[in-house]
Amino acid sequence: MVSNGVMKLYQIIKNQLKIPIPQRTTTLYNEWDRTFGKMFGEENQETEFNSTAEDIRKLYGISENSLIESKPFLFATQTFFNIVLKMLIDSFIKKITDPSEQIDFHLSWSEIAELFEGKGTQNAKIISNFFEIHYYEWFTYLSSKDDKNTVSEIIKNVSDTVNKFDLATYIVRPEEIQDILQEIYMTLIPNKIRHLLGEYFSPDWIVEHSLDRIGYDGNIDKTIIDPTCGSGTFVIQSLKRVLANKNNQISYLEAKKITNNIVGFDLNPISAISAKANYILTLFSSIEDPITKFPEPLSIPIYISDSVLSPVVYSEESDDTFVAKTSVSNFVIPKFNTFSEASDFLDEISDSIERTRGYSVFEKLVLKKFNLSTHQQEAVKELYEELSSLHRSSQDSFWGHILKNSFAPVMLKQKFDYVVGNPPWIAWKAMSKTYREGTLDVWKSYGIFEKNAYDKKTTHDDFGMAVTYVALDQYLKDNGKLYFLLPWTFIKSTKGGEGFRKFEITRNGQKIPIKVELVDDFNDIKIFKPKHTVRTIGVLFRKGKRTVYPMRNWFEWKYEKKINFDAHATWETVKKYITNTKLIAKPIDSSNLQSSWLTLTNSEYKISDKVLLNGVNPAYRGRKGIEPAGAKGVYVLKKPKVTSNGLEIVNDMTRQRRMDLKSKGEHKGIVENNFIYPMLGGRNIKRWKVVSNEFMIVPHKPDTPYGLAEEKLADEAPQTYEWLEFYKKGLLASRKQSGKFFDPDKQPWYRLDNVGNYTFSKYKVVWKEQVKSFSAVAIGEYSTLPNADLKIFNGKDKPVVVDSKVLMLATNSMREAYYVAGILNAPFIRNIIDAYAIGLNRGIDVLKNIKVPKFDNGDPIHIKISDISKKIHELSKDNNDISVEEKKLNGIVKKLYN
């Protein structure tokens, strides 16, 4: 049924989009595309949508892949599920009204249109804003008889399926009905589809825990909002707490209070409609008053809206009006004191335009109900004329309904006691150009960029940062609490997050402090299924208080017993299998309170200030390894072979991603050994030892950091020059696109990044960038590596270079290298490094934060550390037990800091 229904809707949409004149159906499609599509990057927009469409196609076994164009197909899929949700709620309301009624589908086309648009139906008298025209009701404007028959058949099939569920169960078990109805919803819309159409939704147990953390106990008078609510998990769990306090029996007036106090926004239309359906299913199962006797319909407070752009950009355009940008026009709309007043106004204007009333009639009948300024009345007159023109050109009167959703955050001036949720995690550089440009001023005004410049290629900031600051500013009351599930990197990363960690709202001259009261670090606990690739934290903020360091409420959660939790497991169940360790948190650099946070046990914290530099200049400077600027597969070589004419080399194209270079394939050739070096990558090293090595072509000398001049390379190593020339076009292109500060007029096309005197040092300490626990090793020249083959270099030794996944520092001697490696690898020092440095980012900042005294050959403690470190290196080569020596090392390193 599903695949057949989706494909039929897709074909109708495609036919409608071919019509060259303005039509209601294409207008609604275009507005959906403008609103929902802008979150995808233009450079990969079609890839994203095509991938989603392809996954849906495979899920339902649709074979006609050649017919599918991504966005229309996704629109058809979402339309189908909108039909499912509307028919589910229609059936549910009928069962509440008369549980004994047998429902058979026998609606005419005009009755279908009335049902989905909410015109004059019993449903519209009960719920004012679920059955109403929006993006997915486009089919009610179809004119073709065949198309209408097709849609009628789809709706009948859905209705027949929905009515097989026993929705009358609420009479017997009202306290359980919410969970039963949620299961029905999840059966109709499988996990994979919900993931494809939105976020990975939060399981019930983490939602319950989040509500516990902010102290939301279901007090009906308290207000709470999820500004990125998805299908409504946090909203529904909040609603359940209120209902449980009332023994799942509430009056109409209590229901009305609830709908004023528990609110959600989401940009994804189908997610918002799903949340609204869940809200209805949960709330109405507990209303005791007869729903057919409501004095006025309830409005469900879930809105299809951009909760970041709308309240910040649009709300500041003027004191009493704002400009709403849509796919057909920019509408000037008056602001109102309450959302209900704004909603009533937009509903009334839509109704009057549909009745084809002239403005003067609308003014006398409707406008006088609202207390508008002269400026606002002038804006309304222009708005009315514009909407009337759209109606006459078949682009219709539905704009009031769309506008009251899209710009709800502007019109909703209410602030909340609590804000809770799981905002979307989208890297700034992965967002569309349109959305980056639209939100750039938001990011800058809150001061959350890692850089002052707008740099989409290199910034590591995330959209969730902007959502958090807008929510704190726009939605949370003074002294209110916000709890968000966020990436661990927001607090821990040195690459991005610095602006986020200022914990102060500074927009428009404000200086409102924000206190981090508590952090839940969920460590390796898999919260989001089926994918969970980013470590998650839950952060509790309080508005109007200042963050105090050290922050003593960092809870690191771990599995006590490994188990896969069901999405509907309760917190009571889950907490039996996980435990927490309470840690102390503080900025790694006390002179920069926006630096990444260090988290330590109490004993580690006591010694940490003696170990940390806290803004003092370090004695040692870390360096990044050689960066081939997108051409690693060219420069990294398999082991060279010695021939009578030189070295026979072949590059390792398995290391290459850039397609113009990869398409050239491997290149075998004979070259001189001058510019071939042994190389270590992350895969070649472990703590205390080197396990293997690779080779790399490095056309540089210690005094040519920007590359050896072409004429010099051609003179000194002509075979090397010619070998590189095979890739010249791709290397030049990669340099221009990916390289740092490349000047094609002065620098050679084969130039590498991060090369200097240090690159060619005989003695180094090197460590992995990507590793769970910090791992360093002291190295000498090539002859000191396992299985070194000096015949490659005519029996001469060579310095070892490192690639971009390895960090290094050059030392003056091997003894000094052992000393530095010994300090950094000492268990208590690496625990401190692990406590703040992210596993994918063990960068040069290690030496900017850890105090490593300059090696003194006359200091007995320095010599002792070096000697023990050397012994551990030697033991590690043969995999011998090093635990005794590591314990000795730990003790002597502690003496260094006491």
Side-chain angles (χ1 to χ4, degrees):
M1 178 189 77
V2 176
S3 61
N4 187 43
V6 169
M7 282 306 296
K8 287 178 178 178
L9 288 168
Y10 166 73
Q11 293 294 351
I12 294 171
I13 291 168
K14 287 301 295 175
N15 290 337
Q16 289 294 310
L17 293 177
K18 290 175 183 176
I19 299 172
I21 61 173
Q23 293 288 318
R24 295 176 174 94
T25 52
T26 53
T27 300
L28 286 169
Y29 171 80
N30 289 336
E31 183 62 16
W32 168 85
D33 184 30
R34 182 197 70 83
T35 302
F36 187 53
K38 68 182 178 182
M39 286 296 289
F40 291 82
E42 279 81 354
E43 56 274 10
N44 59 9
Q45 185 180 50
E46 287 305 317
T47 302
E48 292 283 353
F49 275 109
N50 275 319
S51 174
T52 300
E54 176 68 6
D55 285 341
I56 296 171
R57 184 191 70 76
K58 287 178 180 177
L59 183 65
Y60 293 127
I62 298 170
S63 60
E64 300 162 273
N65 186 38
S66 61
L67 296 175
I68 294 172
E69 292 183 27
S70 53
K71 284 194 276 190
F73 184 70
L74 184 59
F75 188 59
T77 306
Q78 294 187 339
T79 298
F80 181 84
F81 287 118
N82 178 62
I83 291 171
V84 171
L85 293 168
K86 295 294 170 66
M87 297 312 295
L88 175 66
I89 298 302
D90 178 63
S91 179
F92 175 65
I93 290 173
K94 286 183 171 65
K95 287 295 184 182
I96 291 178
T97 305
D98 183 0
S100 64
E101 180 183 354
Q102 295 299 311
I103 304 171
D104 295 314
F105 184 88
H106 51 77
L107 299 181
S108 66
W109 182 253
S110 62
E111 289 170 326
I112 287 174
E114 287 177 351
L115 170 66
F116 280 87
E117 293 187 14
K119 295 177 180 176
T121 63
Q122 182 65 30
N123 290 343
K125 296 175 183 178
I126 298 167
I127 304 167
S128 65
N129 66 334
F130 186 72
F131 298 94
E132 64 179 1
I133 189 71
H134 213 278
Y135 307 125
Y136 303 122
E137 284 69 40
W138 58 269
F139 57 82
T140 62
Y141 292 121
L142 290 171
S143 57
S144 162
K145 185 175 181 180
D146 288 342
D147 286 346
K148 289 191 283 189
N149 288 339
T150 298
V151 174
S152 294
E153 186 63 25
I154 291 169
I155 293 171
K156 181 182 186 308
N157 289 338
V158 169
S159 178
D160 290 344
T161 301
V162 165
N163 288 320
K164 291 177 183 177
F165 295 107
D166 183 11
L167 298 178
T169 310
Y170 82 99
I171 297 174
V172 181
R173 298 191 303 274
E175 72 283 356
E176 297 179 14
I177 189 63
Q178 295 93 347
D179 292 331
I180 295 169
L181 293 174
Q182 187 180 46
E183 289 304 321
I184 294 171
Y185 164 70
M186 295 182 74
T187 301
L188 289 169
I189 304 183
N191 282 339
K192 187 166 185 179
I193 285 294
R194 287 184 286 111
H195 295 158
L196 289 169
L197 301 182
E199 299 78 15
Y200 288 91
F201 299 121
S202 308
D204 289 350
W205 64 267
I206 195 67
V207 177
E208 288 182 33
H209 178 63
S210 301
L211 293 173
D212 288 346
R213 283 305 201 198
I214 60 171
Y216 183 75
D217 59 3
N219 184 331
I220 196 171
D221 294 314
K222 293 293 183 180
T223 57
I224 187 168
I225 186 173
D226 181 352
T228 55
C229 69
S231 67
T233 312
F234 286 89
V235 171
I236 302 311
Q237 289 290 346
S238 302
L239 183 53
K240 285 185 179 182
R241 293 194 173 198
V242 175
L243 297 176
N245 285 346
K246 299 290 182 179
N247 297 315
N248 293 298
Q249 295 178 334
I250 60 171
S251 66
Y252 166 81
L253 290 177
E254 288 173 321
K256 196 167 182 63
K257 178 181 283 190
I258 289 169
T259 57
N260 285 328
N261 290 351
I262 302 177
V263 178
F265 297 141
D266 203 86
L267 180 60
N268 184 343
I270 201 65
S271 293
I273 294 167
S274 302
K276 196 177 289 189
N278 276 329
Y279 202 117
I280 293 167
L281 295 173
T282 307
L283 180 66
F284 276 67
S285 66
S286 294
I287 298 176
E288 293 291 289
D289 295 341
I291 63 173
T292 54
K293 295 183 179 180
F294 283 1
E296 60 181 22
L298 289 176
S299 178
I300 305 303
I302 305 291
Y303 305 104
I304 304 168
S305 180
D306 186 331
S307 61
V308 173
L309 268 184
S310 293
V312 176
V313 175
Y314 300 112
S315 66
E316 295 175 358
E317 289 172 345
S318 154
D319 289 336
D320 59 356
T321 63
F322 67 94
V323 178
K325 298 177 182 179
T326 75
S327 61
V328 295
S329 185
N330 294 340
F331 302 117
V332 180
I333 301 175
K335 294 180 181 178
F336 294 88
N337 292 327
T338 66
F339 182 74
S340 59
E341 189 179 11
S343 182
D344 288 344
F345 168 78
L346 290 169
D347 284 341
E348 290 273 20
I349 204 170
S350 293
D351 182 62
S352 288
I353 289 171
E354 191 167 8
R355 294 170 185 265
T356 66
R357 293 170 177 165
Y359 177 75
S360 59
V361 175
F362 167 76
E363 186 179 28
K364 296 294 188 294
L365 286 178
V366 176
L367 197 59
K368 65 182 181 181
K369 298 179 186 177
F370 301 93
N371 185 25
L372 300 181
S373 68
T374 302
H375 175 247
Q376 287 176 314
Q377 289 178 33
E378 291 170 356
V380 170
K381 184 174 183 180
E382 185 177 339
L383 173 66
Y384 195 89
E385 295 300 336
E386 199 165 4
L387 292 177
S388 296
S389 295
L390 288 171
H391 184 49
R392 287 194 295 271
S393 65
S394 296
Q395 293 179 76
D396 224 320
S397 56
F398 44 64
W399 286 103
H401 302 297
I402 291 177
L403 294 171
K404 77 176 181 182
N405 272 278
S406 297
F407 299 95
V410 182
M411 296 179 283
L412 190 68
K413 294 300 182 183
Q414 172 185 1
K415 290 196 175 183
F416 294 81
D417 298 305
Y418 305 105
V419 179
V420 69
N422 173 27
W425 304 354
I426 309 170
W428 166 262
K429 55 190 175 185
M431 291 161 58
S432 72
K433 181 180 179 182
T434 302
Y435 206 73
R436 282 197 303 265
E437 290 174 350
T439 58
L440 179 59
D441 287 341
V442 177
W443 289 64
K444 284 183 174 179
S445 65
Y446 283 110
I448 51 180
F449 256 131
E450 77 172 276
K451 299 182 177 182
N452 292 326
Y454 168 43
D455 183 353
K456 76 179 181 68
K457 284 185 178 295
T458 60
T459 185
H460 293 82
D461 288 318
D462 186 285
F463 183 59
M465 297 178 184
V467 178
T468 303
Y469 268 80
V470 171
L472 287 164
D473 182 21
Q474 298 289 326
Y475 302 122
L476 190 64
K477 289 180 178 178
D478 289 340
N479 206 39
K481 293 182 182 179
L482 178 149
Y483 187 93
F484 270 176
L485 298 175
L486 300 168
W488 192 62
T489 53
F490 285 18
I491 301 294
K492 288 283 192 171
S493 178
T494 57
K495 294 183 176 180
E498 186 172 352
F500 180 82
R501 292 188 291 267
K502 75 177 188 297
F503 303 129
E504 184 177 56
I505 300 168
T506 55
R507 180 179 174 82
N508 291 341
Q510 300 179 89
K511 288 185 71 68
I512 302 174
I514 301 297
K515 183 178 182 180
V516 178
E517 294 204 333
L518 175 149
V519 176
D520 285 312
D521 177 0
F522 293 102
N523 199 10
D524 62 343
I525 293 174
K526 308 299 183 187
I527 295 177
F528 305 109
K529 304 292 182 67
K531 294 182 180 179
H532 183 99
T533 57
V534 179
R535 187 165 171 176
T536 306
I537 55 174
V539 187
L540 176 64
F541 300 95
R542 185 185 289 273
K543 185 174 180 178
K545 304 288 185 182
R546 193 162 297 283
T547 300
V548 177
Y549 301 107
M551 199 281 293
R552 297 182 178 273
N553 291 316
W554 184 287
F555 296 89
E556 187 175 81
W557 295 88
K558 294 183 179 180
Y559 290 107
E560 186 173 77
K561 179 180 178 183
K562 196 79 172 182
I563 187 170
N564 288 321
F565 302 119
D566 181 81
H568 301 300
T570 64
W571 174 243
E572 281 297 317
T573 299
V574 169
K575 70 181 183 181
K576 296 174 184 175
Y577 300 97
I578 62 177
T579 59
N580 72 73
T581 302
K582 192 173 181 181
L583 301 175
I584 296 171
K586 57 169 277 188
I588 185 68
D589 181 356
S590 61
S591 70
N592 175 16
L593 296 184
Q594 293 178 223
S595 58
S596 59
W597 279 20
L598 176 71
T599 46
L600 300 167
T601 63
N602 190 54
S603 60
E604 291 168 336
Y605 173 72
K606 288 178 179 178
I607 196 173
S608 64
D609 273 340
K610 297 179 180 179
V611 172
L612 299 174
L613 283 164
N614 290 320
V616 175
N617 289 332
Y620 291 97
R621 179 181 178 184
R623 301 282 188 173
K624 294 181 180 179
I626 297 171
E627 173 55 66
K632 182 173 280 191
V634 174
Y635 293 98
V636 176
L637 308 174
K638 299 175 183 178
K639 185 176 179 180
K641 296 178 182 178
V642 180
T643 73
S644 58
N645 298 319
L647 290 182
E648 181 182 276
I649 63 169
V650 180
N651 52 318
D652 185 358
M653 268 295 166
T654 63
R655 313 291 290 276
Q656 184 59 48
R657 293 184 181 179
R658 189 181 170 98
M659 289 308 299
D660 58 347
L661 289 168
K662 192 164 189 166
S663 64
K664 296 280 286 183
E666 292 181 345
H667 181 35
K668 184 182 288 188
I670 304 293
V671 302
E672 303 83 0
N673 67 22
N674 314 35
F675 299 98
I676 308 300
Y677 290 87
M679 184 272 287
L680 297 178
R683 65 182 71 182
N684 306 121
I685 62 176
K686 292 183 178 180
R687 186 181 299 131
W688 299 119
K689 68 177 181 177
V690 175
V691 295
S692 61
N693 74 274
E694 298 171 78
F695 294 86
M696 190 173 195
I697 185 166
V698 185
H700 290 244
K701 289 184 176 181
D703 60 348
T704 61
Y706 300 111
L708 193 65
E710 287 192 61
E711 61 273 16
K712 287 191 177 181
L713 182 62
D715 179 47
E716 295 182 24
Q719 292 169 300
T720 301
Y721 183 94
E722 289 178 347
W723 187 92
L724 285 166
E725 206 170 28
F726 179 78
Y727 295 105
K728 181 175 181 178
K729 184 178 179 181
L731 290 177
L732 180 59
S734 70
R735 285 289 343 154
K736 288 179 177 179
Q737 181 177 340
S738 306
K740 297 178 184 175
F741 314 114
F742 176 61
D743 184 347
D745 296 327
K746 297 179 181 178
Q747 297 162 13
W749 42 268
Y750 46 75
R751 192 203 118 181
L752 297 163
D753 285 333
N754 305 337
V755 179
N757 276 322
Y758 51 87
T759 304
F760 304 98
S761 170
K762 290 183 180 181
Y763 314 107
K764 299 179 176 77
V765 178
V766 301
W767 60 95
K768 289 186 179 187
E769 180 183 48
Q770 299 180 3
V771 65
K772 187 171 183 180
S773 181
F774 182 80
S775 299
V777 58
I779 63 169
E781 291 186 289
Y782 179 47
S783 61
T784 66
L785 302 188
N787 303 314
D789 184 1
L790 291 181
K791 289 184 293 184
I792 294 173
F793 304 112
N794 298 327
K796 296 181 180 179
D797 224 342
K798 267 203 164 184
V800 180
V801 302
V802 297
D803 81 354
S804 58
K805 296 300 180 184
V806 173
L807 292 306
M808 58 153 287
L809 70 90
T811 63
N812 294 318
S813 66
M814 199 64 206
R815 170 162 273 188
E816 184 178 17
Y818 284 134
Y819 161 77
V820 175
I823 291 174
L824 295 178
N825 277 342
F828 95 96
I829 294 291
R830 72 172 185 254
N831 284 347
I832 291 175
I833 296 172
D834 290 346
Y836 82 91
I838 295 172
L840 298 180
N841 182 25
R842 311 278 180 187
I844 60 174
D845 293 79
V846 167
L847 291 173
K848 290 181 180 179
N849 292 309
I850 301 298
K851 186 188 298 178
V852 180
K854 184 66 178 173
F855 178 66
D856 181 352
N857 208 25
D859 189 315
I861 292 181
H862 291 202
I863 298 300
K864 186 69 172 176
I865 290 171
S866 181
D867 288 345
I868 297 174
S869 173
K870 180 180 179 181
K871 185 173 183 180
I872 296 174
H873 276 81
E874 290 170 349
L875 289 170
S876 296
K877 286 180 182 178
D878 299 318
N879 297 316
N880 292 312
D881 181 26
I882 61 172
S883 58
V884 173
E885 296 302 322
E886 271 200 333
K887 188 174 182 180
K888 288 182 187 176
L889 177 69
N890 207 42
I892 196 72
V893 172
K894 284 184 177 179
K895 284 185 180 180
L896 181 69
Y897 293 102
N898 285 327

